[in-house]
Amino acid sequence: MSPPPPHTSRDAKEDEDDEEEGGIIPGSARPLRKMWSVWAGLSQSSGGHERAPGAAPVPALHLPEHRDRHSRLPGHRGRGSQIPLLQPGDPSAAPALFQVIHRLPMPNVGDELHHSGWNVCSSCFGERGRSRNRLVLPGLVSSRIYVVDVGSEPRAPRLCQVVNPEDVFWKCGLGYPHTSHCLGSGEVMISTLGDPAGNGKGGFILLDAETFEVKGTWEKGEEAPPMGYDFWYQPRHNVLISTEWGIPKVLGYGFDPNDLGKGRYGRRLNVWDWSTHRYIQAIDVGEDSAPLEIRFLHNPNASEGFVGCTISSAIHRFYKTERGDWAAEKVIQVPSKKVEGWLLPEMPGFITDILISLDDRFLYFSNWIHGDVRQYDISDTRRPKLVGQVFLGGSITKGGPVRVCEDEELQSQPEPFVIQGKKIPGGPQMLQLSLDGRRLYVSTSLFSAWDRQFYPELIRDGAVMLQLDVDTERGGLSVNPKFLVDFGKEPGGPCLAHEMRYPGGDCTSDIWL
């Protein structure tokens, strides 16, 4: 049984039932009740929610009635990790719309909580007796995997299980776990960046979705891609496609231009046969392009999607050809800026996250270095049209150390981004969209080693979570001046905020079959 495809409307009672059960229906206009966020502070994590998966530590947020209610967001601080639970507060009592109502610290240090996923999601639609009540939080650096109980007490998640890195190393020969997706088979699948020694190796860890025992690897056969990172699957087209960031032991030292041209950063989309679990094709999207986040359209019949390439600052559309194999074409290029006072004479945008609205109408992405978030109308997937853009910091603001000498897009350098009297450090990074598509949430930490290199003030002042209002009719983005979650004010010190999740699933956690 499959859930209704995007653009299918149902009555309010059905939507409410799915909300309570943690299910998501693409195209639903009902806002989520909670959001979990993941903080990635100097090695600690925290979070905020809107009804989606969370990460390491979990904070809770409260929003006004009929708006998004909770979110979780993993993060880290110093050497520890935590997940904050965020919940909307009473707008008449305080200026902030969101506030942290709970924190879940992790018992270990140095995990680098990054992304998160669920034990059950929309790929399990219609299966009675299964509940979206566990959040799976891989430690990107430690290779430890945390399982958080978010069902027993949604406003106070608790750690219920830890998968030790030794189990991952010995049973899978893999390390540096990243993206977690649930499978309809009753398993959780986690992509990895490399092997236990920090060399590049693309592969997938399989966990039992009830016991969280490491079952081994998903892939079969001898062939494997040289690197890994994110992935998305679509059984209707018998395919899984994964991406490549770089070699783990290189990434941990920050971005070194001397590593370019030496095969240390990814360049491929890797295609797998879903039914046989075998690696069957590599699609080259350019040397050192570093393709990161990949998204199919949400409509399960669609045989296309988009991937964001970080270093090359390009968006590629991938699609199934008439021959039955897969191909990619570049559909958006963010021009580099000629600069002085930066690491290189030309500064790329650094696309670090992308997402697609549940109705498959808009594509959003963040330029972490340039400092802007963009909205594209993808009604014509081969010709995306820019319809919204807003600057939220970045490396080219006026008064900073960088001077822009030549810019194909802007007439002048943007002003520093200030909200509620705070000058925001860093640039826009992870994105999460409300289910009705009207609110886009933004966090500002990428990866602690790279945060420290590009935005050292993030380490000192902590990351933030922001909200953009979205025009879903004509397109357009604007900052909500009343919304600011400042993770620099955490009781234990500044945190780095990364991925955000809704308890009931969201644009980037759920796959419809």
Side-chain angles (χ1 to χ4, degrees):
M1 179 180 183
S2 296
H7 315 295
T8 297
S9 61
R10 312 186 317 161
D11 64 37
K13 179 62 171 69
E14 286 180 294
D15 288 341
E16 185 174 350
D17 289 344
D18 279 326
E19 252 189 317
E20 291 301 321
E21 294 174 4
I24 297 183
I25 302 301
S28 168
R30 288 183 60 85
L32 292 181
R33 303 201 175 176
K34 304 173 186 174
M35 176 188 270
W36 301 332
S37 58
V38 176
W39 304 348
L42 312 187
S43 265
Q44 160 176 328
S45 1
S46 38
H49 336 6
E50 238 203 30
R51 224 170 200 190
V58 181
L61 303 174
H62 249 202
L63 293 177
E65 192 64 25
H66 77 269
R67 305 240 335 158
D68 315 307
R69 292 236 188 124
H70 294 76
S71 93
R72 288 196 181 101
L73 150 141
H76 45 265
R77 165 181 55 238
R79 299 294 298 167
S81 297
Q82 105 182 3
I83 301 176
L85 178 62
L86 303 155
Q87 179 170 334
D90 179 357
S92 65
L97 289 179
F98 267 30
Q99 63 189 34
V100 177
I101 63 170
H102 181 71
R103 295 171 180 85
L104 173 61
M106 297 295 103
N108 299 287
V109 299
D111 291 305
E112 190 87 21
L113 296 174
H114 206 63
H115 283 213
S116 60
W118 296 107
N119 62 322
V120 171
C121 65
S122 295
S123 63
C124 308
F125 184 82
E127 295 188 20
R128 298 190 179 279
R130 302 186 65 184
S131 174
R132 188 193 304 254
N133 58 13
R134 297 290 187 270
L135 185 63
V136 180
L137 299 165
L140 182 61
V141 170
S142 68
S143 297
R144 188 176 287 110
I145 302 169
Y146 295 105
V147 182
V148 175
D149 178 357
V150 297
S152 299
E153 180 47 69
R155 288 171 59 91
R158 62 181 180 84
L159 181 64
C160 63
Q161 198 161 335
V162 179
V163 178
N164 290 318
E166 295 82 0
D167 290 338
V168 175
F169 297 159
W170 286 106
K171 293 183 179 180
C172 302
L174 297 170
Y176 304 89
H178 184 262
T179 299
S180 174
H181 281 301
C182 84
L183 307 182
S185 60
E187 296 162 312
V188 172
M189 183 168 166
I190 304 173
S191 59
T192 63
L193 276 67
D195 66 15
N199 302 302
K201 182 182 181 181
F204 305 93
I205 302 163
L206 272 186
L207 304 180
D208 184 284
E210 292 187 6
T211 66
F212 299 98
E213 177 188 357
V214 178
K215 299 180 68 174
T217 59
W218 175 84
E219 65 274 14
K220 297 178 181 178
E222 297 300 318
E223 273 199 88
M227 302 175 203
Y229 187 69
D230 194 24
F231 73 101
W232 202 273
Y233 64 87
Q234 187 40 260
R236 291 196 187 188
H237 300 288
N238 193 39
V239 70
L240 179 152
I241 304 180
S242 60
T243 61
E244 303 178 340
W245 182 9
I247 296 173
K249 61 185 178 184
V250 171
L251 299 174
Y253 290 101
F255 176 71
D256 185 349
N258 292 320
D259 290 324
L260 298 174
K262 298 178 180 178
R264 294 172 181 171
Y265 284 99
R267 63 182 298 164
R268 304 167 190 81
L269 306 184
N270 296 302
V271 183
W272 304 75
D273 184 293
W274 179 250
S275 57
T276 66
H277 302 191
R278 294 184 181 274
Y279 178 43
I280 58 174
Q281 183 186 353
I283 303 170
D284 195 338
V285 291
E287 184 179 31
D288 295 323
S289 55
L292 295 189
E293 309 297 336
I294 186 167
R295 316 286 185 226
F296 265 88
L297 298 184
H298 296 290
N299 186 336
N301 289 320
S303 56
E304 61 179 331
F306 298 91
V307 62
C309 297
T310 303
I311 300 176
S312 65
S313 300
I315 299 291
H316 291 256
R317 168 184 171 262
F318 61 88
Y319 59 95
K320 191 174 185 177
T321 72
E322 293 182 355
R323 298 187 304 272
D325 62 352
W326 294 79
E329 59 179 351
K330 183 164 64 175
V331 292
I332 300 171
Q333 177 65 61
V334 176
S336 293
K337 304 177 188 298
K338 293 185 178 180
V339 298
E340 292 178 351
W342 196 66
L343 189 64
L344 295 167
E346 292 195 5
M347 177 190 285
F350 250 58
I351 298 172
T352 50
D353 195 20
I354 72 170
L355 65 77
I356 298 172
S357 60
L358 284 177
D359 60 5
D360 288 337
R361 183 181 170 195
F362 293 112
L363 169 73
Y364 300 85
F365 67 79
S366 56
N367 285 309
W368 191 57
I369 297 295
H370 284 180
D372 59 314
V373 174
R374 302 190 182 200
Q375 177 193 24
Y376 284 79
D377 185 326
I378 54 170
S379 300
D380 181 348
T381 55
R382 299 194 66 182
R383 297 171 182 82
K385 179 183 177 183
L386 180 63
V387 293
Q389 183 179 23
V390 64
F391 278 83
L392 303 173
S395 297
I396 60 167
T397 56
K398 291 180 180 178
V402 175
R403 185 175 79 88
V404 178
C405 306
E406 187 176 320
D407 194 328
E408 294 181 25
E409 297 183 311
L410 303 178
Q411 297 301 313
S412 62
Q413 294 180 228
E415 297 289 340
F417 178 63
V418 178
I419 183 171
Q420 297 180 24
K422 178 183 175 71
K423 181 181 176 182
I424 300 303
Q429 211 287 104
M430 293 303 293
L431 307 173
Q432 193 53 263
L433 188 67
S434 61
L435 297 194
D436 62 6
R438 296 177 182 175
R439 293 165 300 283
L440 183 68
Y441 295 93
V442 184
S443 65
T444 54
S445 167
L446 172 60
F447 179 56
S448 62
W450 291 38
D451 292 345
R452 186 176 292 107
Q453 176 182 5
F454 289 106
Y455 297 117
E457 64 273 23
L458 266 178
I459 307 302
R460 180 188 68 239
D461 300 335
V464 300
M465 181 177 170
L466 306 166
Q467 184 194 82
L468 305 182
D469 292 326
V470 180
D471 185 334
T472 57
E473 297 298 322
R474 297 174 299 276
L477 300 172
S478 60
V479 177
N480 181 346
K482 296 181 180 180
F483 187 103
L484 171 65
V485 181
D486 186 352
F487 296 122
K489 296 181 178 179
E490 279 298 291
C495 288
L496 301 177
H498 194 65
E499 187 176 55
M500 298 156 282
R501 287 281 180 221
Y502 291 105
D506 50 58
C507 296
T508 57
S509 69
D510 280 46
I511 296 173
W512 287 270
L513 306 185

